[in-house]
Structure formats: C-alpha cells, structure tokens
Amino acid sequence: MAWNEPGKDDKKDQDPWNKNDKKNEQGPPDLDVVFQKISGFLGSLFGKKSTQGPTGGSGNANGGKFVAIAILTIIVLVWFASGWYTVKESDRGVVLRLGAYHSQVEPGLHWNPKFVDQIIPINVEAFRTLPTSGFMLTEDENIVQVSMEIQYRIVSPEKYLFSVTNPDNSLLQALDSSLRFVIGHSTMDDALTTGREVVRQETWEMLDKIIAPYDLGVQILDVNLQQTRPPEQVKDAFDDAIAAQEDEERFVREAEAYEREKEPIARGQVKRIEQQARSYEEGIVLQAQGAVAKFNQLLPEYQANPEVTRQRLYIESMEKVLSNSSKVLIDNKAGGNLTFLPLDKLMSNPANGASRLPIQTEIETRSRADEQADLDEKAATSVRDSRSTRTTGRD
C-alpha cells in the first residue's frame, strides 16, 4: 500500500501529518497548571515539598492559597516602599487626596499612600519673570512700542494651582491690560522721556489691583519698563529730541556742580573779609583807647608844667617826622669839633639808622643833651616860680 493510500481499519492514516486530529492540537495552558508551577517554584524556594496526592486536588488548593498570600505581600511591600518621597528645600508639596486638595507639606522626607495621594512640588523661592510688549496708543493719539517685564514668586502654592486655570496666563493678561491702560492715559513725550518712572509705578499699582480679586497666590517683586520706542518713521526725530533733552540735563548738572564748587570759596572769602574787618575794627579801637590812655597820662604832667611838656611833645614829634627825612640838620650851638661832614653817604642811606656815621651819632647825642639840659633848666625855673607863687598867695 502506498503511503498516501487510505487504509480500511485506521482512519488516521489519511493524513501523514495528523492535521485533522483535533486532540493533538496545542491550546493555551490552564490557570491551574500555571499556579501549580508557581507554587512549586515558591515551595522549592521556601523549602516546602509538594503534597499532591494521586489526583493532585489537595496540593493544588494549598499551593494556590500560598501563592496568593505571597503575591499580596509583595504587592503591599512594593506599594509601601513606593510611597516615600522627598520635598526639596526650595519647594512646598501640595497634597491631592483622590484628586482634591488636602494639605501642604514642608521640605523633607515624607510618605503618602500610593494611588491615593498625589504630590505636586511647587518652587516658592525662585524668582520668575514674565515679559510683555506691543504697540500701544497714547493719550495724544500716537503709537509707541513698549516692552515691560515683571518679577514675581509664588507665596501660596495651593492658590497658585487651583484659584484659576492658568495663573501665568492670567497674570500676563493682567499685565498687558494694566500697561495699555497707563500708556493710554499718558502722552507720547512722557512715555518716551521723563514719565517712564511714572508709567512703571502706575502699572505696578494697577496690576496689583487687577490680580487681587483672583487670589493667584503670587507676589509681584518688581516691574521693569525695559524699552519705549516711537515708530520707525519718526524714530530719528525723537532720537534728536531725546539727545537735546539729555544735553539740557547735563548742562544743568554741570552748572549745579560749578555752583557747589564756587559757593564754598565765596563763603570762605566772605568770612575772611569779615574777620579782617573785625580785626581792623578792634585794632583801631585799641589804638584809640591807647591814645586816650596816653593823653590821660600826659594831662596831669602838662597841667603841672605846661611849657616843659609842650617842648617835649614838640621834640618827640619832630624826631618822628625827621627820622624818615633825607635832610641833615646841624646845631650851630654845638661844639666846633665837626670839621668834615660826608653828605653824600648821609644822603645815600637816610632812613637806615644802623648805617649812620659816628659823627652824625655824636651830633645827635650832643643836640639831645643840650635840649634835655634846657628842658631841665626850664622845668626847675617853672617849679621855683610855682613855689614862689604859692608862698605869695599864703602871705
């Protein structure tokens, strides 16, 4: 019989590969077999032997329970270990329990039930920036290009997450509205030149008022007006105007610096002149007081001997006057021992008392001695006359 001829007694010979035999087809393994294999593997690990009977029913039941407990224990351990997390120093953790806000955790190591709580870390120490720019219409119906940037940080993480849908976008919209409102109530010159600080302050105040009802949980730290420019068509003219204004301010500062430099010098000169005037006044007053005191001292002497005092005052006055004169005076009453007088040397140094010749010194000494003798004689005569007058009056 050929290999492909059908047999009479055996129908299996119809297909040499036995494709028509449904009993030999391999299907997926049963779950009992899988659990049995896992329990056998775990039992070998823990040192337990299989207790299967002839039919295997009791062994399969005990093995299934042990596998279930082991798997549940592993799942619990993994779930517990996965619940530990760390919050950074600069962050605050927002806890969501079953999707709703529950609490807020501080930095450090924490544990939360996995699949029950969700932790959202929020950085509360970082400074965040938010810029805006655009073309805006001023009060005098001109267009300017303005760029502004704000700095803020999160102070309340739960409000930042749940007060509005998108807090950054809400803050940006509020900033843009505030800036456009302030620019719309300012002139173009103020926005470009002197009013930049006013625009910055008013925008900051307006922004705080707008975001207050929304309770975004953020704090505005600074508002920087970065750039204000006119349109490109008139940019050159405005640049010239700004340059002229800067020159004006520079000249004013230079004038103020010159004033601060010269004013102390002028005040010092005024003080010096005042002190000199006071010194001169005090000197004149003291000089007059000295003259009065001198006169008061001479008055009794003059009253006692008028003629002698008069002659002495005359001689002292002439001595002071003639000491600065270039004339030479010779007393004819003096002795005739003067044979030669060097007038040329006397005329060359008339005011230098140290360069006088010995002959001139001798002449002056004799003249003064004679004058003093005459004065003494007149004084004695006056005393005698006064005494005789007093005696006569007594008689």
Side-chain angles (χ1 to χ4, degrees):
M1 182 182 295
W3 61 271
N4 56 356
E5 291 181 358
K8 296 180 180 179
D9 298 329
D10 191 2
K11 296 181 179 180
K12 295 180 181 180
D13 295 336
Q14 294 177 0
D15 190 357
W17 290 279
N18 295 326
K19 291 183 179 181
N20 296 325
D21 189 3
K22 295 182 180 180
K23 294 182 179 181
N24 294 331
E25 292 180 356
Q26 295 181 356
D30 295 335
L31 293 177
D32 293 338
V33 177
V34 174
F35 283 116
Q36 183 178 0
K37 292 181 179 180
I38 294 175
S39 62
F41 175 74
L42 293 176
S44 62
L45 291 177
F46 291 99
K48 294 183 179 181
K49 296 182 179 180
S50 178
T51 58
Q52 295 181 358
T55 59
S58 174
N60 292 334
N62 294 332
K65 292 180 181 179
F66 179 78
V67 170
I69 295 173
I71 293 174
L72 182 61
T73 304
I74 294 173
I75 291 174
V76 170
L77 292 176
V78 172
W79 175 79
F80 180 79
S82 63
W84 292 99
Y85 65 95
T86 303
V87 179
K88 297 181 180 179
E89 185 67 25
S90 60
D91 296 349
R92 297 295 183 272
V94 178
V95 180
L96 302 181
R97 180 158 295 176
L98 299 177
Y101 172 74
H102 179 265
S103 62
Q104 180 177 327
V105 294
E106 299 296 325
L109 181 63
H110 303 276
W111 181 84
N112 72 309
K114 195 69 173 178
F115 308 113
V116 177
D117 289 353
Q118 180 183 359
I119 309 301
I120 303 176
I122 300 296
N123 193 330
V124 296
E125 295 183 0
F127 292 165
R128 306 188 180 194
T129 60
L130 192 63
T132 183
S133 62
F135 290 95
M136 304 178 186
L137 188 65
T138 61
E139 187 179 12
D140 52 356
E141 298 181 356
N142 291 312
I143 297 176
V144 293
Q145 184 179 2
V146 184
S147 298
M148 179 172 282
E149 182 182 76
I150 63 171
Q151 293 182 355
Y152 68 98
R153 69 183 183 91
I154 301 173
V155 294
S156 181
E158 68 277 7
K159 294 180 180 180
Y160 178 79
L161 290 175
F162 306 117
S163 293
V164 294
T165 304
N166 191 341
D168 292 335
N169 186 42
S170 300
L171 186 60
L172 179 61
Q173 296 297 331
L175 174 62
D176 190 70
S177 299
S178 303
L179 183 59
R180 290 183 181 277
F181 179 83
V182 173
I183 294 296
H185 289 78
S186 304
T187 61
M188 187 174 188
D189 293 336
D190 293 338
L192 294 178
T193 56
T194 58
R196 292 170 56 89
E197 183 63 24
V198 177
V199 171
R200 172 181 171 274
Q201 292 292 339
E202 292 182 355
T203 304
W204 195 341
E205 296 174 359
M206 181 68 64
L207 179 61
D208 288 336
K209 292 179 181 179
I210 292 177
I211 66 175
Y214 294 96
D215 201 11
L216 299 179
V218 298
Q219 179 184 5
I220 306 299
L221 301 177
D222 194 10
V223 176
N224 298 321
L225 184 60
Q226 295 180 335
Q227 188 178 18
T228 54
R229 295 186 304 173
E232 295 295 334
Q233 293 79 2
V234 294
K235 185 177 181 300
D236 295 335
F238 273 92
D239 291 341
D240 295 338
I242 294 174
Q245 186 174 4
E246 292 177 352
D247 292 339
E248 179 184 0
E249 294 178 356
R250 178 172 56 84
F251 292 149
V252 170
R253 292 192 184 95
E254 290 178 355
E256 292 175 352
Y258 180 78
E259 178 185 1
R260 289 192 294 268
E261 179 183 0
K262 294 299 181 181
E263 184 177 0
I265 298 175
R267 293 183 182 276
Q269 292 178 353
V270 169
K271 292 291 184 182
R272 179 173 56 82
I273 294 173
E274 290 179 354
Q275 292 177 359
Q276 289 179 353
R278 290 173 184 171
S279 300
Y280 178 76
E281 178 185 3
E282 293 175 357
I284 294 300
V285 171
L286 293 176
Q287 185 178 358
Q289 292 176 356
V292 172
K294 182 179 180 182
F295 178 78
N296 292 332
Q297 292 178 358
L298 290 175
L299 182 59
E301 297 180 2
Y302 180 79
Q303 291 176 352
N305 298 310
E307 186 64 25
V308 175
T309 306
R310 187 183 297 110
Q311 290 293 331
R312 189 180 67 181
L313 293 175
Y314 172 75
I315 292 172
E316 290 178 356
S317 299
M318 293 302 295
E319 182 179 3
K320 292 179 181 179
V321 172
L322 296 176
S323 62
N324 296 325
S325 178
S326 60
K327 294 182 180 181
V328 178
L329 301 179
I330 300 175
D331 188 5
N332 293 329
K333 296 181 181 180
N337 57 354
L338 182 60
T339 58
F340 175 73
L341 190 65
L343 297 179
D344 54 349
K345 295 183 179 180
L346 292 175
M347 294 297 292
S348 62
N349 296 319
N352 190 0
S355 62
R356 293 179 180 178
L357 296 176
I359 298 175
Q360 182 181 1
T361 305
E362 183 179 358
I363 293 173
E364 293 178 355
T365 303
R366 290 180 179 180
S367 299
R368 292 179 180 177
D370 293 340
E371 291 175 359
Q372 188 66 31
D374 292 339
L375 292 175
D376 293 340
E377 185 178 356
K378 290 180 181 180
T381 303
S382 176
V383 172
R384 287 195 299 270
D385 293 341
S386 63
R387 288 179 180 178
S388 60
T389 303
R390 291 176 182 176
T391 303
T392 306
R394 291 175 183 176
D395 294 342

